Amino acid sequence: MLKKIDVMNHGEKVLQGNEACAEAAIHAGCRFFAGYPITPSTEIIEYLSEALLLQEEGSFLQAEDEISAMCAVIGARWGGKKSMTATSGPGFTLKQEALGYAVETETPVVVVNVQRGGPATGQPTFSSQQDIYQAKYGSHGDYEMICLAPASVQEMYDFTVKAFNLAERFRTPVILLADEIVGHMREKIQIPEQIAVEEHTPVKHCDKPFGRNEKNIPYAVHFFEGHNLLVEGQLHDEKGRRIGHLADKSGVFVGNLIDKIRKNQGDLVDIDHEFLEDAEVAVIAYGTVARSAKRAVRIAREKGIKAGLIKINIVWPFPEEQLKELAATIRTVIVPEMNMGKYCLEIQRCLKQSNVISVPKLGGIIHQPTELLHIIENETGERGR
Amino acid sequence: MNPLIERYIKKDSLPYIFCAGCGNGIILNAAIHAIDELGVKEDTACVSGIGCSSWIPPYLNMDVMHTIHGRAIAFAEGLKLSRPEKNIIVFTGDGDCLAIGGNHLLHAANRNINITVILVNNFIYGMTGGQKSPTTPPGSKTKTSPFGAFDDPIDGCGIAMSAGATYCARWTVAHPNQLKKAIKEGIMHNGFSLIEVLSQCPVQAGKSVFQERDPWGMMEAIKSQTIPYKSWIPDKPAGKIPIGTFKEDNSRQEYTDKIRKLKEQLRGMQKETV
Ligand SMILES: Cc1ncc(C[n+]2csc(CCOP(=O)(O)OP(=O)(O)O)c2C)c(N)n1
Ligand SMILES: [Mg+2]
């Protein structure tokens, strides 16, 4: 259940994105962090190495690698502490097996990926959105993931809180898919006086801890509450007992994991938009690139061009129905991304009636608003008029 | 029926997945007796990785986490750090702990974090069907060493102790009482403890490692290779495996105690500045 809690050090602040994320984690009730330093996420582990030890119930682990960090946060969550880990590309890859374990065991943890350019060591100090699909389907097997993409320091704060709440509510890991720019940028943000936080209410009798409620979500239970839980990485029944050797039951189990996200997708929509009423062309963007998109659309509007903006905040699950509705009358859609044009494929699949233009960008520098403006002008025939 | 079965085994999870003659039952039995004699059932959780040996705890009527290959110790560390007042027992295999999970063993031992690791050494990858493991004796013709294994075996106890484990013992399934006692000592010990158990896998290690498929004969063979030690002597006689309690050291501070003391200090400082 969501509970309003007071935030002690609220008010206006200038923070770095990574710091805002770390501070939000503490406010949202995170009491355990394990991580391994990696640019451009390192400020998060640095911040929490101090902040968590100053918390009465807090604990912290600088793990020997990203694999152990991911495993440790899952362990800590079953111990009853809200937990988080943070990393970037190579570390995110290492976490994937244990991340799948968190999905399968329905463990609510938050995983922050401050994206850099890849593949391999890639571009440690440059930004990218190249992990957009890895965030969705990076681990083996079938599942659905919840993933948020912040575009400002304020959103690093707000979305971190939201990530914890969604993780708890849906009993699943949630990914905060940030990037180098938003992680390292400093901006003025408003830390609210109160935030809503999903709180654990202990379940008394629970002989089927992995049974599901009407929303297809299992109980909020953890160790040492007398339930004798079996947290099992093999597909399992309501009591945690393995069913991996039973085809029919296994199919139902994986179906449930998928459905608890897909069927509740309506509760997982977070989209900002502007100027769509009469727009002929719209830019659809997520994460940092949405900043350039917003600027480009506003300049276009000043010039009298009928441009609009759709900024997707929860990128996974993909807001298919909502996008269809929002973009129903839009002729041309422009999708800038700091990758080879990945999310655009989903948008093309979804918006069959529109002309969907991918604007990929590699190299680590964000799209300039003027670049996007030119494309808007081209598409509306405004250029050189 | 033994009342311990009523209390400790989830009967609706039976039958066990273990093959006939497997040593895992003896180890499960020893662990249950140890936990029961200490009276710590409600304050203890078990964590395991992947492998036949990691299927020991899922039958227990306790809080259990059956995790991924090689990482049980890492999960256990997070669990321990979140609930330092609880006992955490890890069940792991020679492949799980010494191959894929070797790095976590090193670091957990170095931290001297209060976790009790029961390392089931059957000299083989049992679950995947008999491939060479880090403890397979040289010359063994396993599924992945058809010409005879030529890697030198890894000594789990030696590694754990040199990395900083503060309790370390090795027994065999032919020593169930000593094993139970060691598990009790490991649970009571405030620091990282490793208890290695030499065990038989008649199905996968029988022919390839022991030239002997009979479980009883394998237990005899394992036992006859061992020599009891009162402490750790690095230079062991050729072909012999030392058994016994090798180390019990209470001089090093435990990891969660370190954190707790640091936090108390920090809180004292915070109060002073107020
Ligand atoms: C990441 C990963 N790699 C490989 C495997 C396949 N696998 C399962 S158990 C195992 C070896 C187990 O050997 P050991 O730890 O000695 O346990 P035993 O079965 O002998 O008790 C392997 C390689 C896996 N499950 N996960
Ligand atoms: Mg083995």
Side-chain angles (χ1 to χ4, degrees):
Chain A
M1 225 176 46
L2 277 177
K3 209 177 119 192
K4 288 257 181 225
I5 59 157
D6 294 329
V7 178
M8 274 233 293
N9 42 353
H10 56 86
E12 207 169 82
K13 285 189 180 187
V14 175
L15 286 182
Q16 192 201 47
N18 283 341
E19 290 168 359
C21 166
E23 192 153 326
I26 300 274
H27 294 172
C30 175
R31 289 299 175 268
F32 181 73
F33 178 95
Y36 190 83
I38 183 167
T39 307
S41 75
T42 307
E43 293 82 7
I44 299 176
I45 184 174
E46 288 176 354
Y47 187 104
L48 289 171
S49 68
E50 180 180 358
L52 274 170
L53 292 188
L54 294 170
Q55 286 291 329
E56 177 125 14
E57 292 288 320
S59 198
F60 166 85
L61 177 69
Q62 177 165 341
E64 53 271 25
D65 56 30
E66 286 87 348
I67 300 172
S68 43
M70 186 69 224
C71 297
V73 299
I74 297 170
R77 185 63 195 82
W78 284 102
K81 295 253 161 85
K82 286 190 190 173
S83 324
M84 179 171 97
T85 184
T87 188
S88 184
F92 193 54
T93 298
L94 286 178
K95 287 181 195 296
Q96 293 301 326
E97 188 194 4
L99 182 61
Y101 179 85
V103 168
E104 198 271 355
T105 53
E106 309 190 64
T107 309
V109 290
V110 174
V111 178
V112 183
N113 177 3
V114 187
Q115 293 168 98
R116 48 149 100 185
T121 306
Q123 297 178 281
T125 59
F126 277 75
S127 196
S128 96
Q129 297 181 313
Q130 294 172 343
D131 305 344
I132 182 78
Y133 272 114
Q134 191 185 21
K136 183 177 173 64
Y137 288 149
S139 196
H140 57 280
D142 273 354
Y143 59 90
E144 290 290 359
M145 185 59 81
I146 301 174
C147 175
L148 298 90
S152 64
V153 174
Q154 183 71 52
E155 287 183 352
M156 281 295 267
Y157 182 92
D158 296 342
F159 290 9
T160 301
V161 174
K162 191 162 184 170
F164 273 98
N165 290 342
L166 292 176
E168 294 295 322
R169 187 159 150 222
F170 289 93
R171 300 286 302 172
T172 194
V174 171
I175 291 171
L176 186 77
L177 193 62
D179 64 70
E180 187 276 335
I181 295 172
V182 81
H184 280 162
M185 157 194 301
R186 281 178 192 281
E187 277 183 321
K188 191 164 75 180
I189 74 161
Q190 193 69 38
I191 295 186
E193 275 178 47
Q194 278 198 327
I195 56 172
V197 167
E198 197 77 39
E199 289 276 312
H200 172 73
T201 16
V203 184
K204 279 229 175 73
H205 292 292
C206 180
D207 56 340
K208 289 180 179 170
F210 299 97
R212 319 189 82 82
N213 67 14
E214 68 291 349
K215 289 227 150 200
N216 223 342
I217 299 164
Y219 289 106
V221 287
H222 57 68
F223 280 15
F224 309 116
E225 290 182 309
H227 298 310
N228 297 325
L229 297 177
L230 172 57
V231 177
E232 174 59 72
Q234 189 169 138
L235 307 187
H236 47 267
D237 67 9
E238 302 103 326
K239 293 188 172 187
R241 296 171 302 192
R242 76 182 177 114
I243 53 162
H245 55 303
L246 306 170
D248 49 344
K249 287 191 177 177
S250 291
V252 171
F253 176 84
V254 176
N256 281 334
L257 284 186
I258 295 166
D259 280 356
K260 81 170 172 184
I261 310 290
R262 282 199 187 162
K263 295 236 168 98
N264 295 317
Q265 193 259 331
D267 301 350
L268 287 163
V269 179
D270 190 343
I271 299 176
D272 295 328
H273 53 86
E274 56 184 33
F275 312 124
L276 288 185
E277 302 74 33
D278 61 343
E280 290 169 7
V281 52
V283 183
I284 302 183
Y286 57 93
T288 315
V289 175
R291 299 169 77 100
S292 298
K294 189 175 195 171
R295 184 89 191 107
V297 166
R298 287 189 179 178
I299 300 172
R301 277 282 161 179
E302 280 166 21
K303 292 185 161 193
I305 302 170
K306 288 183 173 164
L309 173 75
I310 298 176
K311 172 175 175 291
I312 303 178
N313 297 328
I314 297 184
V315 286
W316 307 119
F318 186 68
E320 188 155 342
E321 293 311 311
Q322 295 74 18
L323 262 193
K324 275 188 180 140
E325 223 166 274
L326 281 174
T329 58
I330 290 170
R331 183 168 42 82
T332 301
V333 166
I334 298 165
V335 187
E337 295 176 85
M338 293 181 71
N339 57 37
M340 63 184 185
K342 287 174 159 170
Y343 200 63
C344 183
L345 298 174
E346 282 290 289
I347 294 169
Q348 278 165 344
R349 184 179 62 76
C350 162
L351 303 180
K352 294 207 172 67
Q353 89 290 355
S354 326
N355 172 30
V356 181
I357 301 169
S358 176
V359 188
K361 201 168 176 77
L362 301 174
I365 306 292
I366 193 172
H367 303 70
Q368 297 301 302
T370 46
E371 260 175 271
L372 300 178
L373 182 63
H374 288 327
I375 299 169
I376 294 171
E377 287 173 337
N378 265 344
E379 290 307 315
T380 48
E382 295 291 329
R383 200 153 181 219
R385 199 169 59 178
Chain B
M1 197 183 277
N2 188 323
L4 286 183
I5 295 183
E6 297 286 336
R7 216 166 116 68
Y8 282 89
I9 297 295
K10 285 181 171 163
K11 277 189 284 182
D12 59 6
S13 299
L14 298 176
Y16 298 110
I17 65 155
F18 309 131
C19 307
C22 173
N24 283 342
I26 298 172
I27 299 162
L28 174 62
N29 190 23
I32 289 175
H33 276 95
I35 293 166
D36 197 65
E37 285 175 23
L38 291 174
V40 294
K41 180 176 181 285
E42 311 308 325
D43 292 315
T44 303
C46 299
V47 182
S48 64
I50 293 292
C52 298
S53 36
S54 293
W55 274 103
I56 295 176
Y59 299 93
L60 284 169
N61 197 23
M62 293 172 67
D63 287 324
V64 174
M65 208 184 299
H66 186 194
T67 67
I68 58 177
H69 194 29
R71 319 296 172 195
I73 291 176
F75 282 90
E77 284 180 290
L79 184 55
K80 180 70 184 177
L81 282 161
S82 73
R83 302 298 287 272
E85 76 282 13
K86 303 293 183 188
N87 308 306
I88 315 293
I89 306 176
V90 169
F91 291 83
T92 179
D94 41 324
D96 201 55
C97 187
L98 301 177
I100 188 166
N103 198 26
H104 310 306
L105 172 67
L106 286 189
H107 285 268
N110 178 58
R111 290 180 186 115
N112 193 31
I113 186 165
N114 186 2
I115 290 170
T116 308
V117 176
I118 301 175
L119 162 56
V120 180
N121 179 2
N122 56 6
F123 308 96
I124 199 84
Y125 284 4
M127 175 128 282
T128 42
Q131 300 79 18
K132 186 190 76 69
S133 94
T135 59
T136 301
S140 306
K141 290 187 176 165
T142 71
K143 296 250 180 75
T144 50
S145 56
F147 309 111
F150 45 81
D151 293 14
D152 284 332
I154 285 176
D155 183 330
C157 289
I159 282 184
M161 282 187 285
S162 58
T166 47
Y167 178 93
C168 189
R170 181 190 285 137
W171 294 102
T172 82
V173 282
H175 300 86
N177 284 323
Q178 291 90 330
L179 175 60
K180 179 193 76 183
K181 186 165 164 278
I183 296 174
K184 282 170 80 172
E185 286 170 359
I187 294 171
M188 294 312 290
H189 177 72
N190 186 25
F192 186 86
S193 34
L194 181 84
I195 297 135
E196 182 180 345
V197 196
L198 309 182
S199 181
Q200 81 280 12
C201 171
V203 176
Q204 306 298 357
K207 192 165 164 245
S208 59
V209 178
F210 289 88
Q211 289 84 49
E212 163 79 85
R213 283 170 192 266
D214 173 56
W216 183 253
M218 286 180 77
M219 283 171 76
E220 292 275 5
I222 293 170
K223 196 177 176 186
S224 70
Q225 278 180 44
T226 58
I227 44 169
Y229 273 51
K230 286 221 155 53
S231 63
W232 183 248
I233 301 162
D235 304 316
K236 50 195 182 247
K240 290 283 181 190
I241 306 174
I243 52 168
T245 307
F246 301 138
K247 187 171 177 182
E248 194 167 7
D249 168 13
N250 291 309
S251 66
R252 278 187 75 203
Q253 209 175 14
E254 193 273 334
Y255 197 65
T256 59
D257 282 346
K258 269 189 200 169
I259 294 179
R260 181 174 47 78
K261 283 191 186 127
L262 172 63
K263 286 174 67 174
E264 280 165 11
Q265 256 176 30
L266 290 169
R267 253 200 302 281
M269 274 156 57
Q270 270 180 324
K271 279 199 191 108
E272 273 166 38
T273 53
V274 169

